[in-house]
Amino acid sequence: MFRTALRNVLAHKARLLMTVLAVMLGVAFVSGTLVFTDTLGNAFRNQSAKSYDDVAVAVETYAGGRDEKTPGIDDATLEKIRGLDGVTSATGRVSGFAGVADPDGKLIGNGWSNTGANFAPGKDGKDASYAFTDGSGPARNGSVALDKDTASKGEYKVGDPVRVATNGPVKEYTLSGIFTTEDGAVNAGGSLVLFDTATAQQLYLKPGVFQGATVTAADGVSDQKLLDAIVPLLPKEATAQTGQALADQQAKDIENGMAGLNGMLLAFAGIALFVGIFLIANTFTMLIAQRTRELALMRAIGATRRQIKRSVLLEAAVVGTIASVIGFALGLGLATGLRSAMGLLGGKIPAGPLVVSPTAVLSAFAVGILITVMAAWLPARRAAKIAPVAAMSSVHATASTKSLVVRNSIGGAIALLGSAGIIGGAAAGGSPGRQLVAGGAFFALIGVIVLIPLLSRPVIALVRPLLKKLFGVSGKLASQNAVRNPRRTGATASALAIGLTLVTGISVLGVTLGQAIDKMTTDDIKADYMVSMASGDALDESALKALAKADGVAALSPQQAAWFEVDGAYQSASGVTPGDVEKVFSLRTVSGSLGSLKDGQVAVGAKTAKSNGWKTGDTLPVKFDDEKKGEVTVGAVYEENEFLSTFLIPKEMADEHSAASRPDIREIWIKTDGGASKANEQSIVDALGDNPAMSVMDRQDIRDMFGGFINTALNIMYGLLAMALLIAVLGVVNTLAMSVFERQQEIGMLRAIGLDRGRVKRMIRLEAVVISVFGAVIGVGLGVFLGWAIGQTLSADIPGYALVIPWDRLGLFLLLAGLVGVLASLWPARSAAKLNMLTAIKTE
């Protein structure tokens, strides 16, 4: 039986090719994902370990320019640490945001990872954290050093002037040196600017104070012993740990960070393999149908049912092994390609070898072989049931529909269960509702897949008159052939249905959310421009003062973050400019007047006011952020605006009670004379000192900012799901090719009675299009249902949410499904048309 299985694999190489391709693609994705994430994690772990090679103890605080409660580490504490036995050096560190302008004045890097830090040379004039390739570190105020990549992007050389922006006005420095570093911010595509220590402290903290320190030990001194000696010297807000512990923690953080990416990629690999199951099962079902007489004869000469079943499963295992070997090799190439792609997208990955772990190898082969054998199990079971007497029957006997009754009953029950879960989840809403929808979607998808053979007959019957009218005999035959074997049609259509269910569901949800965000932007904003820091940090007060004097500015208001406590509960507040806030935001009052902000009163959102029983005129006892107690009067109740906090307070009140040394201005909103224009935008840019770190966005930019993430996510999803659709296409090709092989005699007869080659090709092509579009219709319908349900669970958190069905995209999906059918039929149709009619008629 082993020899028989091998002979069958070799005898049906062409027919098994599509199965090999399907398994190969899935295995490539699994192995490529595991190797890629292992390689990435290993590279970052090695980088992390290298960064702390010489660090015995690392001290950290959360001190910052806005946090007066965390004092940081002063020079006196650092000197005490240096005086401990076994300490070779103790270096103070301070850092914050710093952005560098390119030759066009644009920010180099992505904002959040643009960093500034202090250059802390030892007695030898060097800082071990940086290796200079040109020049030297900044030794005085007015000079900076840049990392090599940033210097290259900005076309800077030692001695050149460099415009650097922190949280204040942009300043010009002289470039003293260029260095290389293993800093994580630089590897993430950002930039690193080194200042002398005094300048860095002035910019990010205060003179004589550091945010952290690194301590090196003399040879033979225990890191733990040194840590125990250092801890008592530190302020209570500081934390300290050994360099090894810090490296291990960062390695763990990296691993956790990789888990999300790993899980997402593996999920799509799972989808591809799930789609591949239908192709594999279909292939083996058709192969066994073609070998009915052969298997029956084997039974007649003594082969047992178990041997027949083992033979088919062994054949599947051989195919799975071959596909896994090729797929794993492709996976290594995929991992290398993903690594290169990250580099092209601006992410600098530390150097390191490709890591091929035993887990990746075993997982890839286990998945490939197991999936193939599982998919072949049902066809193998059917093969084992073939009675010896079947050897005398026709190989191509028409399958009975009686056996579909049990299948349809089970499928109907599963589909109803899934639909109930989806509808129940949509009604429940929130996170529990989404979990219920996810569970219901799984069962609904399985149920629909089981029912597809039953659905194929009535659905395809609807288009039969149209096909007959437009294409004559070819159309009539194509529609009849499409439902001749409901199981085969169902299995082929299921692959496309799964892919298009996911694509459609994601499209409906993405377009709906995008529309809601766009409506929110249109309805809630009157301002022409929004100014913010590219880093996400707060703006400096000087920016507000400069904009107030800019030409063309009709009104402006900050959105300044503030907090206070009311009845024991913390409430967020926005410090705004009275009189101007209603000119830059659409604020609809329920009661009272926003003009009361000028009198030192506050406005509160309608939902919050209702839930707490507050109304206009009420006086609320509060404890401000600076711990002072007082009272505020509710001067207005307004409908919530998504760009503002629950409470609106005058900016002066926010300034007076701020616990930070500087106001926390998140954005500045501007209304200009004559609306948005190039002249007004340039006036704003000039007023801000052409600062590359400050982002000036008009309404369209704001829409793009909020909607850009959704569009990017959609494009990534489409790209990843394309592989599942590719496997579905292979399934259509495989089905048609084997269908043509089975129907050689029939095609020969049709040719003999006058059906020419052109109409034979058209018949096969139309059959492929009918099956493909049928699967697409099922997938699109289920996808819209899922998109609606998931959207309902999000609707409570998204103002103005309303379901949007992207008819243009759905039409495109159906059109592409038809195109898939046409392309998939090229080879089978050509093969059918080339059949010699006399030879085909004699074929058994």
Side-chain angles (χ1 to χ4, degrees):
M1 296 305 292
F2 178 74
R3 286 197 302 271
T4 302
L6 291 179
R7 180 183 62 77
N8 284 326
V9 171
L10 296 173
H12 303 110
K13 293 187 290 291
R15 299 181 217 172
L16 291 168
L17 177 62
M18 301 302 175
T19 297
V20 171
L21 286 172
V23 179
M24 180 186 72
L25 288 171
V27 170
F29 217 113
V30 171
S31 58
T33 296
L34 293 174
V35 171
F36 172 66
T37 51
D38 284 346
T39 299
L40 211 60
N42 182 68
F44 282 117
R45 280 192 297 271
N46 289 341
Q47 180 196 56
S48 177
K50 185 178 179 182
S51 300
Y52 294 101
D53 270 348
D54 299 324
V55 177
V57 177
V59 180
E60 294 180 345
T61 71
Y62 294 99
R66 301 178 189 279
D67 187 359
E68 299 290 341
K69 299 175 184 176
T70 306
I73 302 169
D74 57 23
D75 285 328
T77 302
L78 211 55
E79 283 301 321
K80 291 177 183 178
I81 294 173
R82 291 188 182 113
L84 293 173
D85 291 337
V87 172
T88 304
S89 67
T91 306
R93 299 292 181 186
V94 61
S95 64
F97 169 76
V100 180
D102 66 11
D104 297 325
K106 303 297 183 182
L107 183 68
I108 297 174
N110 47 30
W112 60 268
S113 60
N114 291 340
T115 311
N118 66 309
F119 175 69
K123 294 179 181 178
D124 59 357
K126 297 180 180 179
D127 188 329
S129 298
Y130 313 104
F132 280 82
T133 58
D134 194 11
S136 59
R140 56 181 176 78
N141 185 16
S143 62
V144 295
L146 296 178
D147 68 272
K148 188 177 180 180
D149 288 345
T150 301
S152 176
K153 291 174 185 175
E155 301 176 8
Y156 291 118
K157 297 178 181 178
V158 172
D160 286 350
V162 180
R163 297 178 71 243
V164 180
T166 53
N167 285 344
V170 64
K171 295 181 181 179
E172 193 170 277
Y173 298 85
T174 300
L175 184 61
S176 67
I178 298 170
F179 59 88
T180 59
T181 178
E182 295 295 330
D183 187 276
V186 176
N187 287 324
S191 61
L192 179 59
V193 182
L194 294 182
F195 302 92
D196 65 280
T197 295
T199 301
Q201 288 176 326
Q202 185 67 43
L203 287 171
Y204 301 125
L205 207 53
K206 54 187 177 184
V209 179
F210 298 93
Q211 290 160 327
T214 54
V215 182
T216 58
D219 293 339
V221 177
S222 164
D223 291 354
Q224 186 60 48
K225 182 179 179 181
L226 208 56
L227 175 65
D228 294 339
I230 290 172
V231 168
L233 304 178
L234 301 176
K236 64 179 181 180
E237 295 84 4
T239 60
Q241 55 187 324
T242 64
Q244 184 60 53
L246 189 58
D248 291 344
Q249 180 60 47
Q250 288 199 359
K252 187 176 180 181
D253 292 341
I254 290 167
E255 188 175 335
N256 292 336
M258 291 287 103
L261 175 64
N262 197 24
M264 183 185 72
L265 293 176
L266 286 176
F268 284 100
I271 292 168
L273 287 168
F274 184 58
V275 172
I277 286 175
F278 295 93
L279 190 155
I280 299 164
N282 224 11
T283 301
F284 277 93
T285 298
M286 288 184 281
L287 283 174
I288 288 163
Q290 293 169 13
R291 288 158 47 198
T292 300
R293 181 169 294 180
E294 174 192 330
L295 293 171
L297 285 171
M298 290 178 68
R299 288 291 314 281
I301 61 174
T304 65
R305 288 187 174 187
R306 184 173 295 179
Q307 285 178 312
I308 294 292
K309 186 176 179 181
R310 276 206 301 257
S311 173
V312 176
L313 292 179
L314 183 60
E315 189 177 336
V318 171
V319 172
T321 302
I322 294 170
S324 297
V325 170
I326 301 171
F328 186 76
L330 285 176
L332 296 179
L334 178 64
T336 305
L338 285 171
R339 185 170 177 170
S340 301
M342 284 192 69
L344 292 174
L345 292 173
K348 184 181 175 184
I349 300 173
L354 203 65
V355 177
V356 183
S357 66
T359 302
V361 177
L362 292 174
S363 298
F365 279 84
V367 164
I369 297 170
L370 188 64
I371 288 292
T372 311
V373 171
M374 282 177 56
W377 180 81
L378 197 57
R381 187 169 173 270
R382 290 198 193 108
K385 288 183 176 181
I386 296 173
V389 73
M392 294 178 290
S393 303
S394 172
V395 173
H396 307 302
T398 304
S400 171
T401 58
K402 186 176 181 180
S403 60
L404 291 173
V405 174
V406 174
R407 172 181 177 145
N408 294 337
S409 301
I410 295 172
I414 296 174
L416 285 174
L417 176 65
S419 299
I422 293 171
I423 294 171
S431 180
R434 285 190 288 276
Q435 293 175 7
L436 197 55
V437 168
F442 175 77
F443 285 106
L445 194 58
I446 296 296
V448 169
I449 288 168
V450 173
L451 286 173
I452 273 186
L454 174 67
L455 296 172
S456 63
R457 289 183 181 276
V459 174
I460 293 176
L462 292 174
V463 298
R464 186 177 297 164
L466 181 63
L467 290 174
K468 183 179 178 180
K469 184 176 180 180
L470 293 177
F471 302 103
V473 174
S474 297
K476 181 180 179 180
L477 291 172
S479 61
Q480 289 174 344
N481 289 331
V483 293
R484 175 184 291 187
N485 190 326
R487 283 195 182 92
R488 181 185 301 171
T489 298
T492 306
S494 292
L496 273 171
I498 294 166
L500 282 171
T501 294
L502 297 170
V503 170
T504 302
I506 290 169
S507 297
V508 169
L509 189 61
V511 171
T512 299
L513 292 178
Q515 185 101 346
I517 289 171
D518 191 64
K519 186 175 185 297
M520 180 177 70
T521 306
T522 304
D523 292 352
D524 289 353
I525 300 173
K526 289 183 180 178
D528 297 312
Y529 296 99
M530 180 188 80
V531 176
S532 61
M533 290 294 293
S535 62
D537 291 336
L539 289 154
D540 191 76
E541 182 82 18
S542 59
L544 191 62
K545 294 176 180 177
L547 289 170
K549 301 175 183 177
D551 292 336
V553 173
L556 82 161
S557 174
Q559 199 285 92
Q560 182 172 324
W563 299 86
F564 50 73
E565 191 177 328
V566 184
D567 296 332
Y570 277 96
Q571 302 286 347
S572 63
S574 291
V576 297
T577 303
D580 278 5
V581 65
E582 55 264 49
K583 296 177 183 177
V584 296
F585 291 107
S586 297
L587 297 174
R588 292 169 286 277
T589 53
V590 176
S591 62
S593 169
L594 291 171
S596 61
L597 291 171
K598 293 181 180 179
D599 301 324
Q601 297 181 359
V602 303
V604 61
K607 292 179 183 177
T608 302
K610 184 178 180 180
S611 63
N612 288 278
W614 299 331
K615 58 184 184 299
T616 304
D618 285 354
T619 300
L620 309 178
V622 300
K623 183 167 77 172
F624 293 100
D625 192 31
D626 60 357
E627 302 296 332
K628 293 180 181 178
K629 294 183 179 180
E631 292 181 339
V632 295
T633 301
V634 177
V637 174
Y638 71 99
E639 292 183 10
E640 276 83 353
N641 185 298
E642 290 302 308
F643 294 90
L644 294 167
S645 299
T646 303
F647 276 84
L648 300 184
I649 63 175
K651 185 181 185 304
E652 291 76 11
M653 183 185 292
D655 290 340
E656 181 184 352
H657 295 288
S658 174
S661 57
R662 294 183 293 175
D664 191 3
I665 301 173
R666 312 313 300 180
E667 304 111 22
I668 298 174
W669 297 84
I670 305 167
K671 185 71 177 175
T672 55
D673 293 323
S677 66
K678 289 185 177 179
N680 283 335
E681 184 173 342
Q682 190 59 50
S683 174
I684 292 169
V685 170
D686 291 343
L688 295 171
D690 195 15
N691 192 324
M694 291 185 183
S695 172
V696 179
M697 291 187 283
D698 60 20
R699 286 198 199 184
Q700 187 57 51
D701 292 331
I702 297 168
R703 289 193 189 102
D704 293 342
M705 178 180 69
F706 286 103
F709 172 77
I710 293 174
N711 292 330
T712 301
L714 277 176
N715 291 332
I716 292 172
M717 296 292 185
Y718 289 156
L720 292 171
L721 289 171
M723 189 176 68
L725 293 175
L726 175 60
I727 293 173
V729 173
L730 295 177
V732 178
V733 175
N734 211 22
T735 297
L736 289 174
M738 292 198 172
S739 179
V740 168
F741 178 82
E742 288 179 356
R743 288 153 46 197
Q744 288 185 63
Q745 190 177 51
E746 176 189 318
I747 292 170
M749 289 294 293
L750 289 170
R751 290 290 317 283
I753 61 175
L755 196 69
D756 59 32
R757 289 185 175 182
R759 283 189 286 182
V760 168
K761 283 184 179 179
R762 191 179 302 129
M763 176 184 71
I764 302 298
R765 195 176 298 125
L766 288 172
E767 184 179 344
V769 170
V770 166
I771 294 173
S772 299
V773 173
F774 166 63
V777 168
I778 298 295
V780 166
L782 188 55
V784 170
F785 182 40
L786 289 177
W788 163 80
I790 297 171
Q792 288 298 112
T793 67
L794 298 169
S795 59
D797 301 320
I798 302 174
Y801 176 89
L803 178 68
V804 178
I805 298 178
W807 295 109
D808 54 342
R809 297 194 189 190
L810 301 189
L812 179 62
F813 294 158
L814 294 175
L815 186 64
L816 288 175
L819 181 61
V820 161
V822 173
L823 295 175
S825 68
L826 291 178
W827 172 47
R830 186 169 176 270
S831 299
K834 287 176 69 177
L835 283 175
N836 182 289
M837 66 180 75
L838 295 178
T839 304
I841 289 171
K842 291 187 292 183
T843 300
E844 292 188 9

